[in-house]
Amino acid sequence: MTLNALTDLEAATRPVLTDQLRAGLHELYKHLHAHPELSMQEHNTAELIEEHLTGLGIENFRCGGTGVVGVLRNGEGPVVGFRADTDALPILEDTGLEYASTDTGILPDGTEVPVMHGCGHDTHTSVLLTVARMFVENPGAWAGTLVLIFQPGEETGAGAAAMVADGLWDRAPKPEIVYGQHVMPGLAGTASLSVGTAMAMADSLKVTVHGRQSHGSQPQDAIDPLVLGAHMVVRLQTIVSRELDPRQAAVVTVGTFHGGLKENIIPASAEFTLNIRTFDDDVRARVLAAVRRIIAAEAAASGAPDPEIEELYTFPACYNEPAEAEAVAEVLRAALGEEAVSVVPPVMGSEDFGHLAAAIGVPAVYWCFGGHSAEVLDGEGPVPVNHSPFFAPVMEPTLTTGVNAAVAALMARLGR
Amino acid sequence: MTLNALTDLEAATRPVLTDQLRAGLHELYKHLHAHPELSMQEHNTAELIEEHLTGLGIENFRCGGTGVVGVLRNGEGPVVGFRADTDALPILEDTGLEYASTDTGILPDGTEVPVMHGCGHDTHTSVLLTVARMFVENPGAWAGTLVLIFQPGEETGAGAAAMVADGLWDRAPKPEIVYGQHVMPGLAGTASLSVGTAMAMADSLKVTVHGRQSHGSQPQDAIDPLVLGAHMVVRLQTIVSRELDPRQAAVVTVGTFHGGLKENIIPASAEFTLNIRTFDDDVRARVLAAVRRIIAAEAAASGAPDPEIEELYTFPACYNEPAEAEAVAEVLRAALGEEAVSVVPPVMGSEDFGHLAAAIGVPAVYWCFGGHSAEVLDGEGPVPVNHSPFFAPVMEPTLTTGVNAAVAALMARLGR
Amino acid sequence: MTLNALTDLEAATRPVLTDQLRAGLHELYKHLHAHPELSMQEHNTAELIEEHLTGLGIENFRCGGTGVVGVLRNGEGPVVGFRADTDALPILEDTGLEYASTDTGILPDGTEVPVMHGCGHDTHTSVLLTVARMFVENPGAWAGTLVLIFQPGEETGAGAAAMVADGLWDRAPKPEIVYGQHVMPGLAGTASLSVGTAMAMADSLKVTVHGRQSHGSQPQDAIDPLVLGAHMVVRLQTIVSRELDPRQAAVVTVGTFHGGLKENIIPASAEFTLNIRTFDDDVRARVLAAVRRIIAAEAAASGAPDPEIEELYTFPACYNEPAEAEAVAEVLRAALGEEAVSVVPPVMGSEDFGHLAAAIGVPAVYWCFGGHSAEVLDGEGPVPVNHSPFFAPVMEPTLTTGVNAAVAALMARLGR
Amino acid sequence: MTLNALTDLEAATRPVLTDQLRAGLHELYKHLHAHPELSMQEHNTAELIEEHLTGLGIENFRCGGTGVVGVLRNGEGPVVGFRADTDALPILEDTGLEYASTDTGILPDGTEVPVMHGCGHDTHTSVLLTVARMFVENPGAWAGTLVLIFQPGEETGAGAAAMVADGLWDRAPKPEIVYGQHVMPGLAGTASLSVGTAMAMADSLKVTVHGRQSHGSQPQDAIDPLVLGAHMVVRLQTIVSRELDPRQAAVVTVGTFHGGLKENIIPASAEFTLNIRTFDDDVRARVLAAVRRIIAAEAAASGAPDPEIEELYTFPACYNEPAEAEAVAEVLRAALGEEAVSVVPPVMGSEDFGHLAAAIGVPAVYWCFGGHSAEVLDGEGPVPVNHSPFFAPVMEPTLTTGVNAAVAALMARLGR
């Protein structure tokens, strides 16, 4: 792989984020932030993206339900993919922002819930739409094809697979590499990436615990699924604390637990969901086996029927091809400043990003850009992380950094 | 207290459940069973009761929202109260009955839930309306005033208090005693009652566990309210197992536990509800103190903020004035057969029934009548108890027994 | 059964506890208290009893290892048995008494432990030896045969069975009834007994938990038997809290837990012992099954081998034949005062006393006498119970009451 | 730092492990293995070491109780320290070796326990004595001073501190570096070491849980310290599973738990010990704070008095000065073969080795050598690790490798 040196890019023709573009970016971001949509239900978001792409004259098509793909062709040259994810989360926003979300959505089980862009995908989408505009408006600066992938359903692991299954790579030109980026709690203006494994594998399970319903005053006639479920949650802690090499990173999170409708009824069942993070195939196998072993055994301890364990989704590890990742690191240092870019160990976060490139056997590189001010990072109290109701990236220099990083990485391949 | 001997009642004039009346009772019961309503939302049920009472020419008034009181006056004589409760429960009926409920209701938190007459209040209401008809149609058999109390919201402990607060005893004649009855998993055709304490005290609490929300892959930034709540549920078991005299009956049931919206988010909070049953004031105080102590300490163990503990309701013990209870036992034996009536120790169930009489300082007697066939009781598998999705009293001789027991007790006081 | 009325006893000839006898009783009691011996190792105690009996001219024989039986014949008349138990407990005495024990003993596993008469068997033995003297010294007051049973090993459930197996009833005359008594935390001067079931059944189990040993820093190579055992102890709490009718008394106590020799080694195994109390055969069966189910399932949850469960001993329920118990109650009221005697529900304590009479199919009656002063009972702080390191009966009127109760019961049968 | 290249060493004069020396080494090893002694009680081992040193004409002195220091002077040149630890563990050996230990020892609390060289210190001691002989016998090969440190009490963290406190560095020449090595479960013939942090910090705590003693049948009068302690053990698991960054290694092991003497007594107290491993000061502080927080809160949940927490010992991190560590790696590769030496991440094990050099501010390097055959490593079943009752290094090539590694490292500094 060779990269065009950044110094080859003429400032005159290179895409630059003007104040006017930045103002549009801010408007777009605030609109998306105020109107988040749950995974695979990003209907309004998809329409908004389509309108933008069409307005820019970029050919586009729906893919994977609420996914949108734009294909911007500019003569001979490499084909490069760039992915932004579009979905939001069932979180009650507590940021106090003027443009905070008050929208709600409907979970698959029919529950109405508040929705928030608590993972920052609104930055990804607004940045990529702005980058698209910059490439449209500066055709002399580059050559080749840019495949813009607006992916739904990252949070449920459904989106990348849905796009691939819906013929993404039959309908769009095949890229030589796919890029992606994510906003993180680091300092706004900085970026970071890993060489090799970048993010953890994730496995999500749903467990339905069966007991026997009875009047709350007659435990002797019940098999109490809440006491049983509580013991399962407690016992699952021993996987990380006792069954793994302490130097192997792993997370077993119970993210939801629901059972019972009335305090004086011991319910018939309860259900909870698990999210498991690992980096190593052996560790993953060991954790998954231990989860199943513990859940089955605890049910037996209660004399309860076997619980049902449903696999919700699996994220593969997110892998940055090393040579490409080092090249991107160099490009980002040139664009953002030497000090602003760090190479970091893998994080416990997970992504289905890698699935897009893996489906056609091309490399991928994924990096992070910071979203917090120094005041937030150095202040008292915990720093709000992704998925927190308080997660509120400062608009600047966060969004500008996202744009500059994307432009730099793309221009390094596509720039004349 | 003196009771008119049952042998004094002339069969000719005594109210008797004819086949025609029984057919109407069955229709009424099936209708109520098929259309259950949640506590304090018994709007249709209240209207149906009003229509029946008005149709019978019985003066009636709304009381306590969805409560209905009928006053049937028949010359000089004692005033006697009889109460039937009218509400149903958030249970998904699984009886397979032809007239099973498929209705839903809305919980106070806005959740739509299935509703079922899983505690058998439909038997109480249909029986009392039938008894009212029998007293209307046999005026020569009795003298005095019968106060028919159709009480809402027994399951939430709100109903009796709401009726008293709404002026029940200012608007209806004050009775010298209040009777009530409940269907139970015993053999249909039989009845049972306790002398003295009849049912347990019940206290219901709602606990809100506060943690700190974070991404599911970053437990180090969270205080996990699900793991904390699970430890609370587990630790609460030690109250009954280790802190009480084993000969003192007590129940600490966690009936609901809810937290989290997504498997890859550690949520900010969780909540669960508790239902506590005791017979003894000291035991009750000890249990309530231990619940608060454990919940506070477990939160401290997690470094979490103090949980909120809200008192949902308290049921007093249900007390059968001993002389009156023994008199009722005698009357029931005469009506149902010597073998069919048993005097039993108190049960763990609770009732706000006692509140109605206690509010004016008169005695009360409460008995149970069986609802299961011998096949169900002697069959394999657990016998469905109240609040089970399988609780399905056989219509006969259950309903006839309920009518006969009520008539016998009332006639013992009001019969000429 | 007929009892001689107490008023028939001539004060002149009736055995009376003189000041001199009482002084001897106190000396004997203090000596026994200061020199307690563990179950089935009561060698010095047995020799002391033999010396006393022989000194009184009472024929006697060893039975069941460290048991001693005295047979006092006084002409024609009924044969009556009276049992005192002789063993002490592995407790570090903390009573501050002048005659507190500083002795130690050796447990079956070889551990040297402090020993204390923490259950008050020293009162039983010193009282029965004194009663024996009184019957020897007042031969004109009674007729018949008194079988004095000094039983070892009550605390381990081994003693009564050992005496029966060693031919107790082949070697001693068969009594028409067996009496026994026990000091309790009630008011000194009072007595209490139950009619029918008097004490709970007790089952003791020893559980050996197998894991896999490893370095403390390498949990991934271990199966941690301490974490596993802790989960078993926690999970066992749910038997009493969730699996039984709350009105059914039951206790599941883990009395010992031992595992590990060094903080930086995860040991290969751990062991704990259980003591289970129930009154009802069905409840007992349910609890024992649940214990085994939970222990097996928790081991499975850890991926550990099946634990071993050894049955240490079983105490039958202690049953007071109702007519005989009511007769004893009457006799004790006459002897101690009407107010001083109460008929009480069964207690959770257990005894192998019942085995002695059951072995030959004769009735038995067992009562309790109080050992605490009003100051202790009404003071601040918890009242020391049997098996507490602070359990210290006041010598008087405790011992006199024990003597008077025993003499009254025996004279009611044997008195002329 | 410069190291004399190994190729400079003339084979003729360089110390070589002859067959005769190896035979002596084996005898010595088997003797030490068969006669292990507990920490700070290595009396016979110390005498054996003294005899050997004196027999070799090496001046020596006792230091830190059962520690022995030999000083071998050979003209001008560097001073280098080499440490071997001498103590064994309370483990019941289950290796089946012909020379397996059947010896016992007495723990500080008076308990007699089996003792085993389950950590392999017998290899360290026998190897260093053999190396000493080789240096004595080859005086022409080297120049300088070799300080041979036979340290007691490594397993309890008491030994290095005791030697320093007893004037080690006032009495022996101060070295420019201290070396040490440890046998591990790797392949015999290989060695490994870390550059920088080599081993974890270790903190050991002893927790005394106070409850209130009662009869096993009367939990209502007790505060059960076994149920409380079990909840502590369970709750402590959440520190590693929920409170730490999953990428930060930490271990919280409960290595012992002891409470109760009899199954039918709820004891007054229980005690357990903790061993904590961390690499990072912040993580260590967070874990220690969490341990104290959880223990205090769980006691509060039981209404128990504050537990006592005693700090048993703290091991500092074991740090290999990077330049020196890389130099040693090179030397070992030359001595053992390129493939036989690996640079590895830090291990969770701990050592007080670092204390010896840190006390005088000189660098230290610590490496490991493998002790298992390929059959053991590749066989079915878990590989026995240090502190396992099955830990049995194969004598060869384990011991030869230990000798060769030590000689190589020392000769690289001291060789002419």
Side-chain angles (χ1 to χ4, degrees):
Chain A
M1 186 205 73
T2 59
L3 281 172
N4 299 307
L6 276 170
T7 49
D8 286 354
L9 303 169
E10 299 293 338
T13 61
R14 193 176 170 251
V16 167
L17 187 66
T18 62
D19 286 351
Q20 191 185 346
L21 281 170
R22 186 178 289 110
L25 168 57
H26 289 186
E27 278 317 292
L28 185 53
Y29 169 69
K30 291 197 282 193
H31 178 82
L32 286 169
H33 189 86
H35 300 298
E37 294 174 298
L38 291 173
S39 299
M40 306 312 284
Q41 304 180 39
E42 308 88 340
H43 302 289
N44 295 331
T45 304
E47 285 180 20
L48 180 148
I49 292 165
E50 288 171 326
E51 280 168 29
H52 268 70
L53 294 178
T54 302
L56 289 167
I58 300 176
E59 64 175 89
N60 60 80
F61 59 90
R62 277 293 181 99
C63 184
T66 44
V68 181
V69 179
V71 180
L72 177 54
R73 301 177 200 268
N74 190 23
E76 286 295 301
V79 182
V80 179
F82 205 108
R83 175 268 214 169
D85 39 4
T86 65
D87 55 329
L89 287 158
I91 298 176
L92 179 58
E93 178 157 0
D94 199 6
T95 58
L97 290 171
E98 181 193 351
Y99 48 92
S101 162
T102 58
D103 288 5
T104 63
I106 307 291
L107 290 181
D109 70 2
T111 317
E112 185 174 10
V113 290
V115 186
M116 173 193 177
H117 263 303
C119 200
H121 298 182
D122 45 357
T123 68
H124 311 168
T125 298
S126 57
V127 161
L128 188 57
L129 284 172
T130 302
V131 168
R133 174 177 300 274
M134 290 162 73
F135 273 72
V136 165
E137 294 180 354
N138 291 275
W142 65 287
T145 300
L146 177 52
V147 183
L148 304 153
I149 306 163
F150 294 91
Q151 181 206 303
E154 186 275 332
E155 296 292 348
T156 57
M163 294 187 81
V164 170
D166 197 21
L168 168 60
W169 298 126
D170 300 327
R171 297 154 74 187
K174 286 201 184 65
E176 61 184 40
I177 193 164
V178 181
Y179 290 130
Q181 60 180 355
H182 205 295
V183 68
M184 283 285 169
L187 181 66
T190 68
S192 64
L193 79 173
S194 301
V195 173
T197 298
M199 296 207 190
M201 292 177 279
D203 291 271
S204 286
L205 303 173
K206 176 174 154 188
V207 181
T208 305
V209 179
H210 298 291
R212 186 164 63 228
Q213 184 159 331
S214 177
H215 194 285
S217 69
Q218 290 166 268
Q220 70 273 28
D221 296 316
I223 295 174
D224 188 328
L226 298 183
V227 168
L228 170 52
H231 273 284
M232 287 175 177
V233 172
V234 168
R235 195 60 144 99
L236 288 167
Q237 306 307 310
T238 60
I239 300 175
V240 169
S241 72
R242 294 279 88 184
E243 299 202 33
L244 304 179
D245 185 328
R247 297 167 300 173
Q248 292 279 18
V251 177
V252 177
T253 284
V254 174
T256 68
F257 189 112
H258 293 282
L261 289 173
K262 194 150 189 337
E263 72 295 333
N264 65 352
I265 305 174
I266 300 173
S269 65
E271 66 182 44
F272 62 90
T273 56
L274 283 161
N275 187 251
I276 294 158
R277 307 283 169 132
T278 52
F279 288 118
D280 178 275
D281 284 333
D282 284 348
V283 171
R284 175 174 177 262
R286 197 164 179 170
V287 171
L288 287 172
V291 164
R292 289 178 181 273
R293 188 189 70 230
I294 286 171
I295 286 172
E298 287 296 328
S302 284
D306 272 350
E308 288 152 33
I309 303 181
E310 180 188 349
E311 296 177 9
L312 295 180
Y313 58 80
T314 294
F315 285 113
C318 182
Y319 185 76
N320 282 348
E321 203 281 314
E324 295 286 357
E326 276 168 13
V328 168
E330 201 177 312
V331 166
L332 294 183
R333 280 191 201 102
L336 307 178
E338 194 71 26
E339 300 295 293
V341 179
S342 47
V343 171
V344 295
V347 297
M348 298 309 300
S350 295
E351 261 292 346
D352 63 354
F353 166 74
H355 192 64
L356 297 173
I360 46 173
V362 302
V365 178
Y366 193 82
W367 62 89
C368 297
F369 57 103
H372 282 332
S373 67
E375 289 74 40
V376 165
L377 291 173
D378 301 338
E380 294 185 5
V383 173
V385 296
N386 304 62
H387 292 206
S388 154
F390 306 106
F391 185 66
V394 289
M395 279 207 292
E396 290 301 341
T398 301
L399 294 175
T400 294
T401 305
V403 168
N404 288 347
V407 168
L410 289 170
M411 286 298 287
R413 281 203 179 264
L414 300 173
R416 284 187 203 268
Chain B
M1 189 204 76
T2 59
L3 281 172
N4 298 306
L6 276 169
T7 49
D8 285 355
L9 302 169
E10 300 291 338
T13 60
R14 195 176 168 249
V16 167
L17 187 67
T18 62
D19 286 350
Q20 190 184 350
L21 282 170
R22 187 177 289 112
L25 167 57
H26 289 185
E27 277 317 291
L28 186 52
Y29 169 69
K30 290 196 281 191
H31 178 82
L32 287 169
H33 188 86
H35 300 297
E37 293 174 298
L38 291 173
S39 299
M40 305 313 282
Q41 303 181 41
E42 309 87 340
H43 301 289
N44 294 331
T45 305
E47 285 180 18
L48 180 148
I49 292 165
E50 288 171 326
E51 279 169 28
H52 267 71
L53 295 177
T54 302
L56 289 167
I58 300 174
E59 66 174 89
N60 61 80
F61 59 91
R62 277 291 181 102
C63 183
T66 43
V68 181
V69 179
V71 180
L72 176 55
R73 300 178 203 269
N74 190 23
E76 286 296 301
V79 181
V80 179
F82 206 107
R83 175 266 215 169
D85 38 7
T86 64
D87 55 330
L89 286 159
I91 298 176
L92 179 57
E93 179 158 358
D94 200 6
T95 59
L97 290 171
E98 180 193 353
Y99 47 93
S101 162
T102 57
D103 288 6
T104 63
I106 307 291
L107 290 180
D109 71 2
T111 317
E112 185 175 9
V113 289
V115 187
M116 172 193 177
H117 262 302
C119 199
H121 297 182
D122 44 358
T123 67
H124 312 168
T125 298
S126 57
V127 160
L128 188 57
L129 284 172
T130 301
V131 168
R133 175 177 298 273
M134 291 163 74
F135 274 72
V136 165
E137 294 180 352
N138 291 278
W142 64 288
T145 299
L146 177 51
V147 183
L148 304 152
I149 307 163
F150 294 90
Q151 181 206 302
E154 187 276 333
E155 295 292 348
T156 59
M163 293 187 84
V164 170
D166 198 19
L168 168 61
W169 298 128
D170 300 327
R171 297 156 76 187
K174 285 200 185 65
E176 61 185 39
I177 194 164
V178 181
Y179 291 130
Q181 60 180 355
H182 205 297
V183 69
M184 284 284 171
L187 182 66
T190 69
S192 64
L193 82 171
S194 301
V195 173
T197 298
M199 296 208 190
M201 291 179 279
D203 291 89
S204 285
L205 303 173
K206 177 174 153 187
V207 181
T208 305
V209 179
H210 298 291
R212 187 163 63 227
Q213 184 160 332
S214 176
H215 194 286
S217 68
Q218 289 167 270
Q220 69 273 28
D221 297 315
I223 296 175
D224 187 329
L226 297 183
V227 168
L228 170 51
H231 273 285
M232 287 176 176
V233 172
V234 168
R235 197 58 144 103
L236 287 167
Q237 306 308 310
T238 60
I239 299 175
V240 168
S241 72
R242 295 280 87 186
E243 299 202 33
L244 303 179
D245 185 329
R247 295 167 303 174
Q248 292 279 17
V251 177
V252 178
T253 284
V254 173
T256 69
F257 189 112
H258 293 282
L261 288 172
K262 195 155 186 335
E263 73 294 335
N264 65 351
I265 306 173
I266 300 172
S269 65
E271 65 182 43
F272 62 91
T273 56
L274 282 161
N275 187 251
I276 294 158
R277 308 282 169 133
T278 52
F279 288 117
D280 177 276
D281 283 334
D282 284 348
V283 171
R284 175 175 177 259
R286 196 164 182 172
V287 171
L288 287 172
V291 165
R292 289 179 180 275
R293 188 190 71 229
I294 286 171
I295 287 171
E298 287 295 328
S302 284
D306 272 350
E308 289 153 31
I309 302 181
E310 181 189 348
E311 296 178 8
L312 295 180
Y313 59 79
T314 295
F315 285 112
C318 181
Y319 185 76
N320 283 348
E321 204 279 318
E324 295 286 358
E326 278 168 13
V328 167
E330 202 178 309
V331 165
L332 294 183
R333 279 190 203 104
L336 306 180
E338 194 71 24
E339 299 295 294
V341 180
S342 49
V343 171
V344 294
V347 296
M348 298 309 300
S350 294
E351 261 292 345
D352 64 353
F353 166 74
H355 193 64
L356 296 172
I360 46 173
V362 301
V365 178
Y366 192 82
W367 63 87
C368 297
F369 57 102
H372 281 333
S373 66
E375 288 74 40
V376 166
L377 291 172
D378 301 338
E380 293 185 8
V383 173
V385 296
N386 304 62
H387 292 207
S388 154
F390 305 105
F391 186 66
V394 289
M395 278 207 292
E396 291 301 344
T398 303
L399 295 175
T400 294
T401 305
V403 168
N404 287 348
V407 168
L410 288 170
M411 285 300 286
R413 280 201 181 265
L414 299 173
R416 284 190 203 265
Chain C
M1 187 204 75
T2 59
L3 281 171
N4 300 308
L6 275 169
T7 49
D8 287 354
L9 303 168
E10 300 294 337
T13 61
R14 193 176 170 250
V16 167
L17 187 67
T18 62
D19 286 352
Q20 190 186 347
L21 282 170
R22 186 178 288 110
L25 168 57
H26 289 186
E27 278 316 292
L28 185 54
Y29 170 68
K30 290 197 282 193
H31 178 82
L32 286 169
H33 189 86
H35 300 298
E37 294 175 298
L38 291 173
S39 299
M40 306 312 283
Q41 304 181 38
E42 308 89 340
H43 301 289
N44 295 331
T45 304
E47 285 180 20
L48 180 147
I49 292 165
E50 289 171 326
E51 280 169 28
H52 268 70
L53 294 177
T54 302
L56 288 167
I58 300 176
E59 64 174 270
N60 61 80
F61 59 90
R62 277 292 181 101
C63 184
T66 45
V68 180
V69 179
V71 180
L72 176 53
R73 303 177 200 268
N74 190 23
E76 286 295 302
V79 181
V80 179
F82 206 108
R83 175 268 215 170
D85 39 4
T86 65
D87 55 330
L89 287 158
I91 298 176
L92 180 57
E93 178 158 0
D94 200 6
T95 58
L97 291 171
E98 180 194 352
Y99 49 92
S101 162
T102 58
D103 288 6
T104 62
I106 306 292
L107 289 181
D109 70 1
T111 318
E112 185 174 10
V113 290
V115 186
M116 173 194 178
H117 263 302
C119 200
H121 297 182
D122 45 357
T123 67
H124 312 167
T125 299
S126 57
V127 161
L128 188 57
L129 284 172
T130 302
V131 168
R133 174 177 299 275
M134 290 163 73
F135 274 71
V136 166
E137 294 179 354
N138 290 275
W142 64 287
T145 299
L146 178 50
V147 182
L148 304 153
I149 307 163
F150 295 90
Q151 181 206 302
E154 186 276 331
E155 296 292 348
T156 58
M163 294 187 82
V164 170
D166 198 20
L168 168 60
W169 298 127
D170 301 326
R171 297 155 74 187
K174 286 200 184 67
E176 62 184 40
I177 194 164
V178 181
Y179 291 130
Q181 61 179 356
H182 204 296
V183 68
M184 283 283 169
L187 182 66
T190 68
S192 63
L193 80 172
S194 301
V195 172
T197 298
M199 296 208 190
M201 291 177 279
D203 291 271
S204 285
L205 304 173
K206 176 173 154 190
V207 181
T208 304
V209 179
H210 297 291
R212 186 165 61 229
Q213 184 159 332
S214 177
H215 194 285
S217 69
Q218 290 167 270
Q220 70 272 28
D221 296 316
I223 295 174
D224 188 329
L226 298 183
V227 168
L228 169 52
H231 273 284
M232 287 175 177
V233 172
V234 168
R235 197 59 144 99
L236 288 168
Q237 307 307 310
T238 59
I239 299 175
V240 169
S241 72
R242 293 279 89 184
E243 299 202 33
L244 303 179
D245 185 329
R247 297 167 301 174
Q248 291 280 17
V251 178
V252 177
T253 284
V254 174
T256 68
F257 189 113
H258 293 282
L261 288 172
K262 195 152 188 334
E263 73 294 333
N264 66 352
I265 305 174
I266 301 173
S269 65
E271 65 182 43
F272 62 90
T273 55
L274 282 160
N275 187 251
I276 294 158
R277 307 283 169 132
T278 52
F279 287 118
D280 178 274
D281 284 333
D282 284 348
V283 172
R284 174 175 177 259
R286 197 165 179 170
V287 171
L288 287 173
V291 165
R292 288 178 180 274
R293 187 189 71 229
I294 286 172
I295 286 172
E298 287 296 327
S302 284
D306 272 349
E308 288 153 32
I309 302 181
E310 180 188 349
E311 296 178 10
L312 296 180
Y313 58 80
T314 294
F315 284 111
C318 181
Y319 185 76
N320 282 348
E321 202 280 315
E324 296 286 356
E326 277 168 15
V328 167
E330 201 178 312
V331 166
L332 293 182
R333 281 191 201 102
L336 306 178
E338 194 72 25
E339 300 296 292
V341 179
S342 47
V343 171
V344 295
V347 297
M348 298 309 300
S350 294
E351 261 291 346
D352 63 354
F353 166 74
H355 192 64
L356 298 172
I360 45 173
V362 301
V365 178
Y366 193 81
W367 62 87
C368 297
F369 57 103
H372 282 333
S373 67
E375 289 75 39
V376 166
L377 291 172
D378 301 338
E380 295 184 5
V383 172
V385 296
N386 304 62
H387 292 205
S388 154
F390 306 106
F391 185 65
V394 289
M395 279 207 292
E396 290 301 341
T398 302
L399 294 176
T400 294
T401 305
V403 168
N404 287 347
V407 168
L410 289 170
M411 285 299 288
R413 282 203 179 263
L414 300 173
R416 285 188 202 265
Chain D
M1 188 204 76
T2 59
L3 282 171
N4 299 305
L6 277 169
T7 48
D8 285 352
L9 302 169
E10 299 293 336
T13 62
R14 194 176 169 251
V16 169
L17 187 66
T18 61
D19 286 350
Q20 189 184 351
L21 281 170
R22 186 177 290 110
L25 168 57
H26 289 186
E27 277 317 292
L28 186 52
Y29 169 68
K30 291 195 282 190
H31 178 82
L32 287 169
H33 188 86
H35 300 297
E37 293 174 297
L38 290 173
S39 299
M40 305 312 283
Q41 304 181 41
E42 309 87 341
H43 300 290
N44 294 331
T45 305
E47 285 181 19
L48 179 148
I49 293 165
E50 288 172 326
E51 280 169 27
H52 267 72
L53 295 177
T54 302
L56 289 167
I58 300 174
E59 65 174 89
N60 61 79
F61 58 91
R62 279 289 181 104
C63 183
T66 44
V68 180
V69 180
V71 180
L72 176 55
R73 301 176 202 269
N74 190 23
E76 287 294 301
V79 180
V80 179
F82 205 108
R83 175 267 214 170
D85 38 6
T86 65
D87 55 330
L89 287 158
I91 297 176
L92 179 58
E93 180 158 357
D94 199 8
T95 59
L97 290 171
E98 181 193 353
Y99 48 92
S101 163
T102 56
D103 287 6
T104 63
I106 307 291
L107 289 180
D109 71 2
T111 317
E112 185 174 11
V113 289
V115 186
M116 172 193 176
H117 262 304
C119 200
H121 298 183
D122 45 358
T123 68
H124 312 168
T125 298
S126 57
V127 161
L128 188 56
L129 284 172
T130 302
V131 168
R133 174 177 298 273
M134 290 162 74
F135 274 71
V136 166
E137 294 179 352
N138 291 277
W142 65 286
T145 299
L146 177 51
V147 182
L148 304 152
I149 307 163
F150 295 90
Q151 181 206 303
E154 187 276 333
E155 295 292 348
T156 58
M163 293 187 84
V164 170
D166 197 21
L168 168 61
W169 299 127
D170 299 328
R171 298 155 74 187
K174 285 200 185 66
E176 61 184 40
I177 194 165
V178 180
Y179 291 131
Q181 61 181 355
H182 205 296
V183 69
M184 284 284 170
L187 182 65
T190 68
S192 64
L193 81 172
S194 302
V195 173
T197 298
M199 294 208 190
M201 292 179 278
D203 291 88
S204 285
L205 304 173
K206 177 175 153 187
V207 181
T208 305
V209 179
H210 297 292
R212 187 164 62 228
Q213 184 161 333
S214 177
H215 194 286
S217 69
Q218 290 167 269
Q220 70 272 27
D221 296 315
I223 296 175
D224 187 330
L226 297 184
V227 168
L228 170 51
H231 274 285
M232 288 176 176
V233 171
V234 169
R235 197 59 144 100
L236 287 167
Q237 306 308 311
T238 60
I239 300 175
V240 168
S241 72
R242 294 279 88 185
E243 299 202 35
L244 304 179
D245 186 328
R247 296 167 303 174
Q248 292 279 17
V251 178
V252 178
T253 284
V254 173
T256 68
F257 189 112
H258 293 282
L261 288 173
K262 195 155 187 333
E263 73 294 333
N264 66 350
I265 305 174
I266 301 172
S269 65
E271 66 182 43
F272 61 91
T273 56
L274 282 160
N275 187 250
I276 294 158
R277 308 283 169 133
T278 53
F279 288 118
D280 177 276
D281 284 334
D282 285 348
V283 172
R284 175 175 177 260
R286 197 164 180 171
V287 171
L288 287 172
V291 165
R292 288 178 181 274
R293 189 189 70 230
I294 285 171
I295 287 171
E298 286 296 328
S302 284
D306 272 350
E308 288 152 32
I309 302 181
E310 180 189 348
E311 296 178 8
L312 295 180
Y313 58 79
T314 295
F315 285 111
C318 180
Y319 185 77
N320 282 348
E321 204 279 317
E324 295 286 358
E326 277 168 13
V328 167
E330 203 179 308
V331 166
L332 294 182
R333 280 189 202 103
L336 307 179
E338 195 70 24
E339 300 295 293
V341 179
S342 48
V343 170
V344 295
V347 296
M348 297 310 300
S350 294
E351 260 292 345
D352 64 353
F353 166 75
H355 193 65
L356 296 172
I360 47 173
V362 301
V365 178
Y366 192 82
W367 63 88
C368 297
F369 57 102
H372 281 333
S373 65
E375 288 75 39
V376 166
L377 292 173
D378 301 338
E380 293 184 9
V383 173
V385 297
N386 303 62
H387 291 206
S388 152
F390 306 106
F391 186 66
V394 289
M395 278 208 292
E396 290 302 344
T398 302
L399 295 175
T400 294
T401 306
V403 169
N404 287 347
V407 168
L410 289 170
M411 286 298 288
R413 282 201 179 264
L414 299 172
R416 286 191 202 266

